[in-house]
Amino acid sequence: MSKRRKTIDTRYVAVSSFERLEMCTMIGFSTLLHGNVIDIIIEDTSIASKSILEPGVINEELLINLSIDQGPEGDAGKYFLEDGIKLDVITEIRIEFLNILNIDHLWVMPNLIKLHLSNNIIEKIENLDALVHLKELNLSFNHIKIMENLNHLIELEILLLFNNHISKIEGIDNLHKLHIFSIGNNQIKDWEHVMYLRQFKYLYSFNINNNPCLDKDGYQEYLIAFVPQLIYYQYKMITKEERQSAIIKEQCVISNIEEEEAKKKKQLEEQEAFENLQNLLSKSYVEYLNDDNFFWHMFLDDKEGKDLSAVNSDTENAFEEYRKKISSICYEFSEIGLKEQVKRDNEIKLFNDVVNNGKSKVQNESKDIVDEILEEKIKIFSQINLLFNILDDEMDEMDDNVEVVYNWYIHFNDMISKTWTKLMSKEVVIHDQLVEINEVFKVNMTNMIEQFLETAREYFSQLRNAEADYNDNINTIILYYISGFEASHDLHLRVIDAREDRMLSRLKTWHNEYCEELYNNENNRHRQKILEITHLLQDIRKQFHSLILLHLPYFEINNFPSLTISEK
């Protein structure tokens, strides 16, 4: 095996430990750190034998075995195995050097944060949809040709695609949190990706070593100039001098690009502000009433009305006055709608605060009760075990102590029953209180909504009156258009009626569904809490009975009353 030595200057040492590890992986596995210099011995190893192996398959068995191998050691590892391998809670896994061809079955690990799939024969990036929490993805040393199916990994910070067959950087527009990106040893030829990388504002380390795009002089300066957020290039810190030189060289182009980006940013901000306002108006049930949108909506299918408005200057003036009147009414009503929504939001917040405080109080009190019985359980179990350990050597006295055990038995079961009564009493009380609070909330919200709807009816009446006034004005101005305009008048009234009906229906539907959801959630919570209390105490009782029978197999276990409560 041939070996050759490379020396890297001290600026490489400034990169993160993760990047140093990846850099060592890319060019060898034996590293020696001497002072300010990293000596890397590159070992030319052949992987030809790997290609003739049968492709590996990612399945649940493999994932479990890897989780065990890569799990914690010592006592932590013991507990890890005792608790059972729960793939859905594991946050990191390495599936490397296993000749994996297809990415599959990873949906069983939705909480992965770090995923290493390097040194396989993967040809396609796929089946990562469930890994929405992923922050680190290593697909280096594979056979990938296209960057795809990555856009949904919006939490991704580290993306390693070193040594593949990729010819274009694409498909990662939504990875706004990207910090480290390595795509060295691929087939990227042009420089188009440089402008593409400008959008990743948190990208501070980029590696594109050994790609055809570097064959043309000036790439490094071009990249540094147009991706100013970069701190490291090819795992080497960019110096102040390098950055200044690159910027000066491309200053004119940079200025134009920054000006264009500022315009686009402003447009996006305005669009976002508009969408946020429309969402708020929709939530308040007054969408598109804050301007003249509703007015023009009335003329959307009214060709005759539009024609009449432009017959002469008198009709044009009447039409403009009508537009201002309708728009003014709509705007005034939209402002009221927004204020009423604030009142409803405040009422909901107050309701949630009261409910959550009540639940927290009962939960803390119940926890103290449970902690108390668990402490008592430990004491009693310890005393029983101690007693039987002593009596193992004094079998003649065993029968004399059965009565002592029986007294403990009665005491413990009585304690279980009393604890159950305490916990259930608190649960019943909080349930009754929450049901009552839900009813008060429903009444308060009903009153608020009815007041708002009454106001809404008044404003829609104003819209109808404005429409009637306009109709009269036009009739006076153009008598010979009367037949056609009456149809226009009826159409406008239908639009106003439909808008009113839709508002009333939506608001009432929300109110009914919201209150129904509150009742259902509380009933489900109440039933679940009853089951939790009952199962907990039944389990403690079973543990105690098992302990007694372990030492006294002939001991008669009485049938104590079951821990149940009749549902209301």
Side-chain angles (χ1 to χ4, degrees):
M1 179 181 297
S2 63
K3 296 183 180 180
R4 60 186 184 275
R5 182 177 301 271
K6 280 189 177 181
T7 302
I8 301 174
D9 68 37
T10 57
R11 284 182 292 172
Y12 281 112
V13 183
V15 300
S16 70
S17 59
F18 178 87
E19 292 174 287
R20 291 201 299 272
L21 177 61
E22 189 226 2
M23 183 168 60
C24 293
T25 303
M26 291 186 292
I27 58 176
F29 296 95
S30 301
T31 63
L32 296 172
L33 178 61
H34 299 296
N36 291 329
V37 178
I38 299 176
D39 292 330
I40 301 177
I41 302 176
I42 301 175
E43 301 180 356
D44 297 324
T45 59
S46 172
I47 60 171
S49 59
K50 179 179 175 182
S51 62
I52 63 175
L53 298 175
E54 287 292 327
V57 177
I58 300 177
N59 54 32
E60 189 162 351
E61 181 182 1
L62 174 67
L63 296 176
I64 290 175
N65 290 335
L66 290 174
S67 299
I68 294 173
D69 292 342
Q70 300 167 18
E73 299 179 353
D75 290 340
K78 178 183 177 182
Y79 297 139
F80 177 71
L81 293 175
E82 288 178 353
D83 291 342
I85 307 302
K86 300 175 182 177
L87 295 175
D88 59 340
V89 301
I90 292 176
T91 59
E92 179 177 358
I93 194 167
R94 299 187 304 278
I95 311 173
E96 301 172 311
F97 299 98
L98 293 174
N99 222 48
I100 300 297
L101 177 62
N102 297 318
I103 303 173
D104 201 4
H105 213 77
L106 292 175
W107 53 80
V108 300
M109 307 183 78
N111 286 303
L112 277 180
I113 294 177
K114 297 181 180 180
L115 173 61
H116 294 253
L117 286 161
S118 66
N119 291 279
N120 287 293
I121 55 173
I122 297 168
E123 297 178 351
K124 181 180 176 65
I125 303 174
E126 59 185 344
N127 297 324
L128 299 175
D129 304 59
L131 309 185
V132 294
H133 304 293
L134 203 63
K135 292 188 176 182
E136 182 178 316
L137 176 61
N138 187 352
L139 286 164
S140 300
F141 296 94
N142 279 288
H143 302 162
I144 298 167
K145 295 181 179 180
I146 300 175
M147 291 178 60
E148 57 186 336
N149 300 317
L150 293 169
N151 242 339
H152 62 285
L153 303 177
I154 59 175
E155 299 296 324
L156 203 64
E157 297 178 359
I158 299 173
L159 177 59
L160 308 179
L161 293 167
F162 188 88
N163 206 87
N164 280 280
H165 308 301
I166 299 169
S167 59
K168 183 178 181 181
I169 297 178
E170 60 184 338
I172 56 172
D173 300 69
N174 295 336
L175 275 54
H176 302 302
K177 297 182 180 181
L178 194 62
H179 289 5
I180 299 172
F181 183 24
S182 173
I183 196 165
N185 272 27
N186 277 277
Q187 300 173 6
I188 299 169
K189 298 178 180 179
D190 57 50
W191 293 8
E192 292 180 1
H193 60 274
V194 173
M195 293 303 174
Y196 183 72
L197 293 176
R198 279 180 66 86
Q199 64 183 298
F200 303 105
K201 301 304 180 184
Y202 298 103
L203 182 65
Y204 68 80
S205 178
F206 179 58
N207 172 37
I208 195 170
N209 196 29
N210 295 330
N211 273 273
C213 62
L214 273 65
D215 294 343
K216 184 179 178 181
D217 292 339
Y219 175 84
Q220 179 174 339
E221 284 188 328
Y222 187 76
L223 176 73
I224 294 173
F226 291 106
V227 190
Q229 63 270 32
L230 284 180
I231 298 175
Y232 301 102
Y233 170 63
Q234 317 291 48
Y235 301 108
K236 185 177 181 180
M237 181 176 286
I238 300 170
T239 66
K240 182 178 179 180
E241 292 74 20
E242 289 172 335
R243 194 179 304 278
Q244 289 178 342
S245 174
I247 292 174
I248 291 173
K249 187 175 181 180
E250 304 288 349
Q251 185 63 56
C252 183
V253 179
I254 292 175
S255 297
N256 293 335
I257 291 175
E258 288 178 345
E259 183 178 349
E260 188 63 28
E261 287 178 342
K263 291 180 181 178
K264 290 181 179 179
K265 182 180 179 182
K266 183 179 179 181
Q267 291 174 354
L268 289 174
E269 290 174 348
E270 291 175 349
Q271 179 63 26
E272 183 179 359
F274 174 78
E275 291 175 355
N276 290 338
L277 176 59
Q278 294 308 316
N279 290 336
L280 178 59
L281 290 167
S282 179
K283 180 183 177 183
S284 305
Y285 305 95
V286 289
E287 64 274 15
Y288 302 113
L289 294 180
N290 63 318
D291 50 26
D292 58 3
N293 185 280
F294 180 71
F295 172 80
W296 293 113
H297 183 68
M298 290 195 297
F299 286 90
L300 189 63
D301 298 317
D302 184 13
K303 182 178 183 304
E304 292 81 3
K306 293 177 183 176
D307 293 341
L308 285 169
S309 68
V311 169
N312 55 42
S313 60
D314 290 336
T315 60
E316 290 176 351
N317 292 335
F319 182 80
E320 181 61 20
E321 287 298 319
Y322 177 46
R323 185 192 66 79
K324 291 179 180 178
K325 183 66 174 177
I326 292 293
S327 299
S328 175
I329 295 171
C330 288
Y331 178 78
E332 187 176 328
F333 178 51
S334 70
E335 290 294 301
I336 292 175
L338 291 173
K339 292 177 182 178
E340 288 297 315
Q341 183 60 41
V342 171
K343 292 180 182 179
R344 289 194 292 272
D345 287 340
N346 290 338
E347 182 68 20
I348 292 172
K349 182 180 183 303
L350 178 62
F351 166 77
N352 287 331
D353 288 344
V354 171
V355 169
N356 292 333
N357 289 338
K359 289 179 181 178
S360 297
K361 183 174 181 294
V362 171
Q363 184 176 358
N364 292 333
E365 292 173 351
S366 299
K367 182 178 181 300
D368 292 339
I369 295 173
V370 171
D371 288 344
E372 183 180 344
I373 192 174
L374 291 177
E375 290 176 6
E376 188 65 19
K377 169 198 161 187
I378 293 173
K379 292 179 183 177
I380 293 176
F381 278 35
S382 177
Q383 291 173 357
I384 291 176
N385 283 321
L386 179 61
L387 173 65
F388 283 109
N389 288 335
I390 294 174
L391 293 178
D392 281 344
D393 299 326
E394 304 173 14
M395 295 301 295
D396 293 340
E397 300 182 16
M398 178 67 75
D399 293 338
D400 297 336
N401 288 277
V402 170
E403 184 176 353
V404 175
V405 174
Y406 183 77
N407 290 336
W408 272 337
Y409 174 73
I410 295 297
H411 167 68
F412 192 82
N413 280 286
D414 182 59
M415 184 175 63
I416 291 286
S417 297
K418 288 181 179 179
T419 301
W420 182 86
T421 301
K422 289 180 183 178
L423 292 173
M424 203 58 66
S425 175
K426 289 187 176 296
E427 173 54 32
V428 170
V429 169
I430 188 63
H431 175 64
D432 290 341
Q433 290 176 345
L434 292 179
V435 169
E436 183 179 351
I437 291 173
N438 285 349
E439 188 60 36
V440 171
F441 172 80
K442 182 178 181 180
V443 172
N444 290 344
M445 190 59 69
T446 299
N447 292 336
M448 293 175 64
I449 289 175
E450 286 300 327
Q451 291 177 6
F452 175 61
L453 293 181
E454 185 61 33
T455 302
R457 293 186 185 97
E458 294 176 2
Y459 274 90
F460 279 105
S461 293
Q462 291 183 36
L463 291 175
R464 293 187 187 92
N465 292 336
E467 166 58 27
D469 291 341
Y470 177 63
N471 181 63
D472 292 342
N473 288 339
I474 292 295
N475 283 341
T476 301
I477 297 171
I478 311 177
L479 293 176
Y480 59 88
Y481 276 113
I482 188 65
S483 59
F485 192 69
E486 284 183 354
S488 175
H489 175 59
D490 292 340
L491 177 60
H492 294 176
L493 290 179
R494 285 198 298 272
V495 173
I496 294 173
D497 291 344
R499 186 64 175 81
E500 180 181 23
D501 292 342
R502 186 161 68 93
M503 171 183 287
L504 301 183
S505 175
R506 282 184 61 213
L507 190 50
K508 288 181 178 179
T509 298
W510 169 83
H511 179 227
N512 292 334
E513 290 178 351
Y514 191 84
C515 291
E516 183 69 20
E517 184 181 4
L518 290 178
Y519 282 117
N520 291 337
N521 288 345
E522 171 51 27
N523 286 332
N524 291 335
R525 185 207 65 81
H526 180 54
R527 293 190 188 96
Q528 183 63 32
K529 189 59 66 175
I530 289 174
L531 290 174
E532 288 177 6
I533 293 171
T534 302
H535 290 165
L536 170 66
L537 296 178
Q538 284 179 341
D539 183 61
I540 294 175
R541 175 180 278 175
K542 287 179 181 178
Q543 292 178 35
F544 180 72
H545 290 173
S546 298
L547 178 64
I548 296 297
L549 293 175
L550 175 66
H551 296 292
L552 295 175
Y554 55 83
F555 190 87
E556 183 178 350
I557 300 294
N558 295 327
N559 291 324
F560 282 82
S562 61
L563 303 176
T564 59
I565 184 172
S566 59
E567 294 194 18
K568 294 184 177 182

